[in-house]
Amino acid sequence: MAPRSDSQTVATGSGVSDGSDQSSIDPIFHLLRILPFSFLRPPRLRLKIPSFTLPSPMTVYALILLTYFLVVSGFVYDVIVEPPGIGSTQDPVTGTIRPVVFMSGRVNGQYIIEGLSSGFMFVLGGIGIVMLDLALDKNKAKSVKASYAVAGVSSIVIGYVMSFWRKQTTGREHSRIPRRSKTVNGTVLRHDEPFSLLSVPAS
Amino acid sequence: MGGKSEPAKSESMATTTTSPDLINSSFFSFKSLKLKTKQQELLLRIAILGLVYILAFIARLFSVLRYESMIHEFDPYFNYRTTLFLTEKGFYEFWNWFDSESWYPLGRIIGGTLYPGLMVTAALIYWALRFLRFFVHIREVCVLTAPFFASNTTLVAYFFGKEIWDTGAGLVAAVLIAICPGYISRSVAGSYDNEAVAIFALLLTFYLFVKAVNTGSLAWALGSAFGYFYMVSAWGGYVFIINLVPLYVLVLLITGRYSMRLYIAYNCMYILGMLLAMQIRFVGFQHVQSGEHMGAMGVFLLMQVFYFLDWVKYQLNDTKLFQTFLRITVTSAILVGGIALGVGTASGYISPWTGRFYSLLDPTYAKDHIPIIASVSEHQPTAWSSFMFDYHILLFLFPAGLYFCFKRLSDATIFIVMYGLTSLYFAGVMVRLILVATPAVCLISAIAVSATVKNLTSLLRTKQKVSQTGSTKGAGSSKASSKVTLDQSQPFQKNGAIALLVGVFYLLSRYAIHCTWVTSEAYSSPSIVLAARGAHGNRILFDDYREAYYWLRQNTPTDAKIMSWWDYGYQITAMGNRTVIVDNNTWNNTHIATVGRAMSSNEDEAYEIMRSLDVNYVLVVFGGVTGYSSDDINKFLWMVRIGGGVFPVIKEPDYLVNGEFRVDKGASPKMLNCLMYKLCYYRFGELTTEYGKPPGYDRARGGEIGNKDIKLEHLEEAYTTSNWIVRIYRVKPPTNRL
C-alpha cells in the first residue's frame, strides 16, 4: 500500500516516474502514479518509519514508581473531591489564621499537600530498600556499596519515622476509625465524626 | 518423624544420617530423630503454613467473641436469607425463586439476579457437616464461612508466591495476607458477603492461570477455567479477571514472549471459562454481548492471528515475502476487528460499559450522572490515610518488590506486576476496591521481604564461602583487594547484616501489631449492634435495630408492608419477615425515587403516595438521642437528590438555607414540614438528651431542633426502641366520614 511506494520514491530521489522501474503489483500505486503524481513532484524527504523499540525494564520501573507515587498520594481523590491544598483554622485567642496540615474529622479525607508528602515518604522508604539491594550487589566498588547501604538505611528510617511514628505516639484513640457501612458520609453537615460515641452520654 | 522416604541426597550443610529402620537399631536414641535438612525444611514449612492457617481464622473472630455469632451489616442479611431458602427448599426452588416479599408491588426475580456461588458454598459446607452428623445451624456456617475461606486464601497465596519467586516468598505472602487489614475488613466472621469467597476464587484463578502459562499444560488451563467459573458465580467483580488476563496476554505479546504455552493457556481458559460463565443466569450472554467483555474476545482473535502468522512463517522460507504477508494480515485483521466492533456497537448488540464499571475509568462520571452509586461511602476515591490504614508497611515494600520483579522478569512476574498496578489504580479510584488489590500488594511485598532477607542472610553466611576459592566475589576489583581487607570488613559486614535483619523483624512486628489493633478496633463491629463507652469507660451496647425488627415480626400482621429507606430493606425482610417497598438491591431507581419523594414531601402528599403503594408501616432511623451519625436525617439529602432526579417537583435548594443543611429554628420551612422530619422528631421536643442542654437537643447534629410541637395527622406512632434509634409508625386508613 501507500508507505511502500513512498520509500521507493525516496530511494530514487527525483520524480515518481523514475521510481517506478521496479514492477509493482499494487494497483493503487499505479493509480497514484498517474493521477496526482504525474504533475505533482513530491519533495525529497529523509523520513524513516519510526521503529518501535521496547524500553529497558528499569525505565519502565521508573515510570511505574511515578504512577505509584501519584496513586498512593490520593491523586484521584484530589481530582474529584478538590480539597484545599492545606487547611486552616482560626486561633480562638489571638485571631490569627494557622495552617492545619492533616485533615481531621473525616475518615477518608485529605488535603493535597498532606497526600503528596505522605506519598513521597512511602516512595522514599521503598527506594531505601532498593538501594539496600544495590548495596549488596557484588559488582561494585566497596565505597559505592557502602554509600548505597548508608543511603538505603537512612531512607528507610526517615520514611518510617515520618509516616508511622506519629500514629504510634499521638495515641490510637484519636486516629481515625473508618466505618465501611453502606451509609453515606456526611455531605454538608457540620458534625460528621465517625461513630465511636466516645462522648459521655447524659448521666 | 521423618515423613517421606526420599533418596538420601545430602546438602552441603551438615547432614546426619537417619536410621529409618527402628527395629534394627539396638537402642532408641534421640540421634535417630534428627532429620535431614530437606526434611527439616519441609517440616518447618508445613508447621508455618499450619500456624498461618489457624492465625488467619482466629484473627477474624473478634466480633464473635465480643458480641455473639451473628450476621453483620446489610447485604449479608440477604445472602443469609437466600442461603436459608436454599437449604430448606433445595436447589431448583432456589434457582427459580421469584420473591414477592421485596420491592412491593413489583417483586424480584431472585434466581436470576444473584450470584449463587456464596450461597451454594455455604449450603455445601452445611450439608457436609450434617452428613458427618454435626447438626449445626446454618447461621453458624454462614458466620464462619468468611474466615474459613480466608485461611484457604493464605494457602493459595503460598503456592502463588512459590510459583512467582520461591518458597520463602510464598511463606511470607501467606503470613502477610493472613492478617492484612485490607482483606480482614471484608472477611471477618459475620461478614457473609460475596467478597468472602470471591477473593479466594480470584487468587485461585490467577494462580492456576499463571501455572498454566508457566507449564503449558492443558490440565492447569482447565483448572483455571473452572476457577474462573467459580469466580463468576461468586461476585460481579469477575469483570476484573476477564479484562486483566487479556491485558496480560497483550503485554506478553508486545514484549515478545509469545509461546505455545501462552497460546494453550489463554485459549483453553477463555473458551471454557466463557461457556461455563454462561451457566449463571445473572451473567447470561454478557460474554458475547457486553462491551466490558469485548477485550477478551479481541485478544482471543489476535492470538489466532499470531498463531497463524507463526505457522506461515514456518512454512515460508522467504523473509521478505513473509514481511509483506505480515503487514497485509495484521492490517486486515485490525480492520476487520474494528469494523465488527463498530457494527456491533452501532446496532446495539454490544452494550456499552455499564455505569458501575465506567465510573472506574472515568471517576467523575458517577458524581454527575448516577447519584445512587455516588451516595455510597464505599465508592468514594481513596485518600492516603485509607491506604496507610489498610496496608501499613506494605506500602514501603510494594515499590521494592516491583524492583525485584523487574530485575528478574519472567512470565509470572510480569503478571503479578500488572495485577498489582491495575488493582492499585482501581483501589485509588474507589475505597472498596482496596480489597481486590490486597493479594497483589501482599505478594509483591513478600517478594521484597524474601529477597532482602535472602541477601542479608547470604552476607551472614559468606564466612564459609571465603574459605573456598572466592569465586562468588565476582569482579576483579574486589578480588584484587587483598584478603586482609576482606577479613577486616567481614565482621563489620556481619554486624551490619545482623542489625539490618533486626530492623526487618522490627518492621514486620510493628505491622503485626498494627494489623491486630486495626482488626480489633475498626473492622470487628457488626454495625447492627452499636457500641459506645459509658461514663466509667464500660462498654454500652445498643441493640435497637434487632429490637425493632423483632417487634415488627411479632406485632404486625403477616402481610404488612413496610416503607423505609433502601438501606434497611434486607434486614427487615430477613429478621422482621415482612414485605418491604425498596431494599439494598437498588435495581429500580424510580421506585426508590418514589420512596424518596414520599419522605421529602409534607404529610398529605406523602400520605397519597403511601396509599398508592399500600404501605402499612413506616420505619425511620434516628440518632438524635444517642449521637448516632448514620441516621436518616443525615442521609436525607440523598433522598432528596434521588427523588429529585426522577420527580422534578423535589428541588434540593428548597431544603437548604444558604447552601447549608440545618434542622434548627433557621431551617427551611419545607424541611420543617417534610415527613422525614416529622417522623424523626415526633415527641422529641419533650425529651432532655444531655445535661445542661434544652429539651429537644439533637446530639447527632449538635443543635436544638426547630419545630418541637409536631402533630401527625395520617400516621400514628407504633413503636420507638429503647434508645430512640428506630421508630416505627402505622399508616392510618383514610377517615370514614369527614
Side-chain angles (χ1 to χ4, degrees):
Chain A
M1 308 209 184
R4 227 162 151 213
S5 56
D6 279 347
S7 58
Q8 283 184 327
T9 53
V10 165
T12 51
S14 57
V16 180
S17 48
D18 289 338
S20 60
D21 283 337
Q22 304 147 15
S23 60
S24 171
I25 59 171
D26 194 353
I28 300 186
F29 168 66
H30 288 287
L31 193 66
L32 285 176
R33 187 162 58 107
I34 297 173
L35 203 54
F37 289 118
S38 50
F39 49 90
L40 288 177
R41 202 163 50 100
R44 295 169 58 167
L45 299 169
R46 268 184 271 225
L47 290 178
K48 270 193 309 183
I49 300 175
S51 62
F52 176 66
T53 55
L54 290 176
S56 82
M58 285 308 148
T59 321
V60 178
Y61 175 65
L63 288 173
I64 283 178
L65 212 57
L66 190 64
T67 321
Y68 175 73
F69 165 65
L70 286 177
V71 168
V72 167
S73 314
F75 186 68
V76 182
Y77 179 91
D78 294 338
V79 166
I80 294 187
V81 177
E82 289 171 17
I86 196 162
S88 58
T89 64
Q90 198 165 29
D91 196 23
V93 175
T94 57
T96 54
I97 308 277
R98 284 187 297 126
V100 171
V101 179
F102 291 97
M103 185 187 276
S104 59
R106 304 255 302 262
V107 294
N108 189 36
Q110 65 174 38
Y111 296 120
I112 299 183
I113 293 185
E114 164 195 358
L116 288 173
S117 59
S118 303
F120 175 69
M121 284 303 146
F122 295 141
V123 172
L124 190 65
I127 290 186
I129 303 180
V130 171
M131 284 200 276
L132 261 188
D133 175 72
L134 286 174
L136 298 171
D137 189 9
K138 298 186 175 59
N139 300 333
K140 294 200 168 66
K142 191 157 286 297
S143 59
V144 174
K145 283 166 67 169
S147 56
Y148 265 131
V150 167
V153 173
S154 56
S155 298
I156 297 177
V157 168
I158 291 176
Y160 178 75
V161 165
M162 295 300 290
S163 310
F164 300 121
W165 203 255
R166 187 182 152 273
K167 296 291 177 282
Q168 268 172 253
T169 54
T170 55
R172 306 229 179 95
E173 296 82 41
H174 303 294
S175 62
R176 295 157 259 192
I177 301 176
R179 282 282 170 268
R180 307 267 184 209
S181 60
K182 273 255 191 161
T183 55
V184 73
N185 54 352
T187 46
V188 290
L189 300 175
R190 293 169 294 151
H191 293 275
D192 52 352
E193 55 236 344
F195 180 62
S196 55
L197 271 198
L198 293 176
S199 56
V200 177
S203 47
Chain B
M1 123 175 196
K4 296 174 151 185
S5 55
E6 333 172 86
K9 248 199 261 177
S10 57
E11 298 285 315
S12 61
M13 308 300 282
T15 60
T16 42
T17 52
T18 56
S19 52
D21 199 355
L22 285 173
I23 304 174
N24 277 349
S25 63
S26 50
F27 59 92
F28 181 74
S29 70
F30 276 113
K31 217 162 174 359
S32 62
L33 278 179
K34 215 147 186 228
L35 304 165
K36 290 198 284 280
T37 313
K38 228 180 181 152
Q39 292 167 327
Q40 279 177 339
E41 196 229 350
L42 183 68
L43 183 65
L44 208 57
R45 259 194 287 153
I46 292 180
I48 290 176
L49 280 178
L51 284 175
V52 166
Y53 195 89
I54 296 174
L55 172 70
F57 192 84
I58 62 179
R60 290 161 164 82
L61 293 182
F62 274 102
S63 73
V64 173
L65 295 172
R66 280 193 193 142
Y67 303 97
E68 60 178 281
S69 161
M70 68 176 144
I71 313 270
H72 298 184
E73 300 250 336
F74 301 109
D75 275 351
Y77 274 100
F78 171 71
N79 298 332
Y80 172 61
R81 183 172 157 242
T82 48
T83 314
L84 203 56
F85 189 87
L86 172 60
T87 53
E88 284 171 2
K89 304 264 180 28
F91 187 71
Y92 281 106
E93 285 296 315
F94 169 76
W95 204 230
N96 296 309
W97 186 14
F98 179 81
D99 181 32
S100 43
E101 282 186 30
S102 54
W103 296 92
Y104 186 87
L106 305 167
R108 179 184 169 186
I109 308 171
I110 290 192
T113 56
L114 60 45
Y115 288 104
L118 176 69
M119 297 85 182
V120 171
T121 309
L124 283 176
I125 297 176
Y126 172 73
W127 285 324
L129 286 174
R130 283 189 91 89
F131 178 74
L132 295 172
R133 300 293 176 260
F134 289 115
F135 289 107
V136 297
H137 194 273
I138 182 69
R139 193 190 65 237
E140 318 296 344
V141 175
C142 291
V143 164
L144 294 176
T145 297
F148 174 60
F149 273 92
S151 302
N152 295 343
T153 308
T154 60
L155 288 183
V156 177
Y158 162 70
F159 286 112
F160 204 174
K162 199 160 84 122
E163 191 64 32
I164 296 176
W165 201 254
D166 61 11
T167 57
L171 288 173
V172 179
V175 175
L176 289 179
I177 209 174
I179 51 176
C180 188
Y183 186 25
I184 285 189
S185 65
R186 303 293 297 203
S187 67
V188 281
S191 173
Y192 183 56
D193 210 352
N194 296 58
E195 288 97 344
V197 177
I199 296 298
F200 169 72
L202 183 89
L203 208 56
L204 187 69
T205 310
F206 283 151
Y207 164 62
L208 292 173
F209 184 68
V210 169
K211 190 92 181 164
V213 170
N214 271 346
T215 56
S217 134
L218 203 57
W220 287 109
L222 188 66
S224 77
F226 276 99
Y228 178 64
F229 169 58
Y230 189 38
M231 179 70 186
V232 169
S233 72
W235 196 32
Y238 74 89
V239 176
F240 180 61
I241 298 188
I242 202 67
N243 281 309
L244 178 65
V245 168
L247 198 64
Y248 165 64
V249 170
L250 207 60
V251 166
L252 283 188
L253 293 179
I254 290 176
T255 52
R257 286 171 181 266
Y258 169 77
S259 62
M260 203 56 195
R261 299 173 281 119
L262 180 67
Y263 182 76
I264 293 175
Y266 182 66
N267 280 340
C268 180
M269 188 212 174
Y270 178 63
I271 295 296
L272 282 178
M274 183 168 70
L275 289 174
L276 286 170
M278 291 188 192
Q279 309 309 310
I280 309 290
R281 279 174 67 190
F282 197 21
V283 174
F285 287 116
Q286 275 185 10
H287 276 72
V288 290
Q289 277 183 344
S290 159
E292 296 141 9
H293 305 76
M294 286 301 116
M297 188 181 286
V299 170
F300 174 68
L301 294 172
L302 191 65
M303 286 284 274
Q304 311 312 315
V305 169
F306 255 78
Y307 184 77
F308 178 61
L309 288 172
D310 218 25
W311 178 72
V312 166
K313 188 171 179 179
Y314 174 69
Q315 301 284 18
L316 281 182
N317 290 327
D318 187 357
T319 49
K320 201 148 153 299
L321 207 56
F322 176 69
Q323 288 295 329
T324 327
F325 181 70
L326 175 71
R327 218 174 283 173
I328 295 178
T329 313
V330 170
T331 322
S332 56
I334 295 178
L335 218 62
V336 166
I339 290 176
L341 191 68
V343 165
T345 315
S347 71
Y349 184 74
I350 297 179
S351 56
W353 281 60
T354 56
R356 277 179 64 198
F357 296 113
Y358 186 69
S359 64
L360 286 179
L361 295 180
D362 177 14
T364 59
Y365 179 75
K367 198 163 73 151
D368 301 327
H369 297 264
I370 317 175
I372 283 192
I373 294 182
S375 75
V376 180
S377 71
E378 293 177 317
H379 291 181
Q380 309 305 316
T382 323
W384 76 273
S385 51
S386 300
F387 276 123
M388 199 217 68
F389 206 75
D390 280 338
Y391 287 140
H392 205 248
I393 282 297
L394 304 185
L395 286 174
F396 276 13
L397 298 171
F398 185 76
L402 284 179
Y403 164 76
F404 285 111
C405 284
F406 273 99
K407 223 170 94 158
R408 196 168 99 179
L409 270 186
S410 70
D411 289 350
T413 52
I414 291 183
F415 179 80
I416 198 65
V417 164
M418 289 200 59
Y419 174 29
L421 290 174
T422 48
S423 59
L424 206 61
Y425 166 69
F426 290 131
V429 173
M430 200 186 273
V431 177
R432 187 181 179 187
L433 295 180
I434 284 186
L435 170 74
V436 177
T438 301
V441 169
C442 288
L443 278 165
I444 297 183
S445 312
I447 292 177
V449 170
S450 177
T452 308
V453 168
K454 224 177 197 148
N455 280 344
L456 290 173
T457 49
S458 71
L459 262 189
L460 282 179
R461 283 189 185 169
T462 49
K463 193 154 176 16
Q464 282 95 351
K465 289 197 182 155
V466 166
S467 60
Q468 305 166 6
T469 56
S471 55
T472 51
K473 280 288 183 193
S477 60
S478 49
K479 223 183 194 169
S481 60
S482 59
K483 277 241 175 76
V484 179
T485 51
L486 213 63
D487 288 335
Q488 271 177 355
S489 64
Q490 277 305 99
F492 178 70
Q493 269 187 338
K494 283 194 70 172
N495 289 340
I498 291 177
L500 286 177
L501 274 178
V502 168
V504 168
F505 294 144
Y506 171 73
L507 284 182
L508 291 176
S509 68
R510 287 240 59 97
Y511 169 71
I513 293 174
H514 171 86
C515 293
T516 318
W517 174 75
V518 164
T519 311
S520 162
E521 293 299 316
Y523 290 141
S524 296
S525 82
S527 74
I528 192 169
V529 173
L530 310 168
R533 289 271 151 75
H536 308 289
N538 54 329
R539 193 182 277 263
I540 305 178
L541 297 177
F542 299 123
D543 209 359
D544 286 42
Y545 279 104
R546 293 197 292 173
E547 183 187 339
Y549 299 140
Y550 278 101
W551 183 90
L552 273 181
R553 194 191 189 104
Q554 290 163 352
N555 293 297
T556 56
T558 30
D559 61 348
K561 292 138 201 94
I562 320 285
M563 181 173 93
S564 69
W565 192 234
W566 58 261
D567 283 355
Y568 316 107
Y570 281 155
Q571 288 179 338
I572 296 177
T573 29
M575 279 191 276
N577 201 19
R578 294 286 176 268
T579 311
V580 290
I581 306 290
V582 289
D583 69 13
N584 306 56
N585 194 26
T586 66
W587 67 270
N588 191 332
N589 194 31
T590 312
H591 216 52
I592 296 181
T594 313
V595 171
R597 181 183 174 190
M599 294 295 192
S600 8
S601 319
N602 59 12
E603 203 183 338
D604 295 319
E605 291 169 11
Y607 186 64
E608 291 299 316
I609 299 176
M610 288 193 286
R611 290 293 301 164
S612 76
L613 287 173
D614 274 353
V615 175
N616 301 116
Y617 289 87
V618 182
L619 185 145
V620 292
V621 170
F622 171 59
V625 174
T626 47
Y628 178 50
S629 58
S630 299
D631 64 349
D632 279 356
I633 294 279
N634 279 2
K635 293 179 206 169
F636 181 67
L637 278 183
W638 286 109
M639 298 185 200
V640 169
R641 280 179 199 142
I642 294 175
V646 178
F647 303 104
V649 289
I650 311 283
K651 298 190 227 349
E652 191 180 340
D654 289 346
Y655 298 87
L656 303 172
V657 172
N658 293 335
E660 204 188 336
F661 180 66
R662 298 169 65 172
V663 295
D664 52 6
K665 278 212 173 9
S668 71
K670 210 153 162 59
M671 179 69 204
L672 290 175
N673 284 318
C674 73
L675 184 72
M676 178 57 73
Y677 189 92
K678 284 187 165 178
L679 294 183
C680 283
Y681 291 123
Y682 182 68
R683 288 193 308 116
F684 185 64
E686 308 142 15
L687 192 71
T688 311
T689 53
E690 204 169 309
Y691 183 69
K693 294 279 183 356
Y697 181 75
D698 185 346
R699 294 181 67 203
R701 259 65 56 185
E704 198 183 333
I705 60 169
N707 188 3
K708 292 189 189 176
D709 190 21
I710 296 178
K711 301 256 185 305
L712 289 175
E713 195 184 328
H714 300 287
L715 296 141
E716 60 182 2
E717 187 180 359
Y719 188 69
T720 300
T721 56
S722 46
N723 294 301
W724 285 57
I725 292 187
V726 183
R727 312 196 65 182
I728 305 179
Y729 293 84
R730 188 177 301 117
V731 178
K732 291 201 278 202
T735 49
N736 189 11
R737 293 160 193 251
L738 293 167

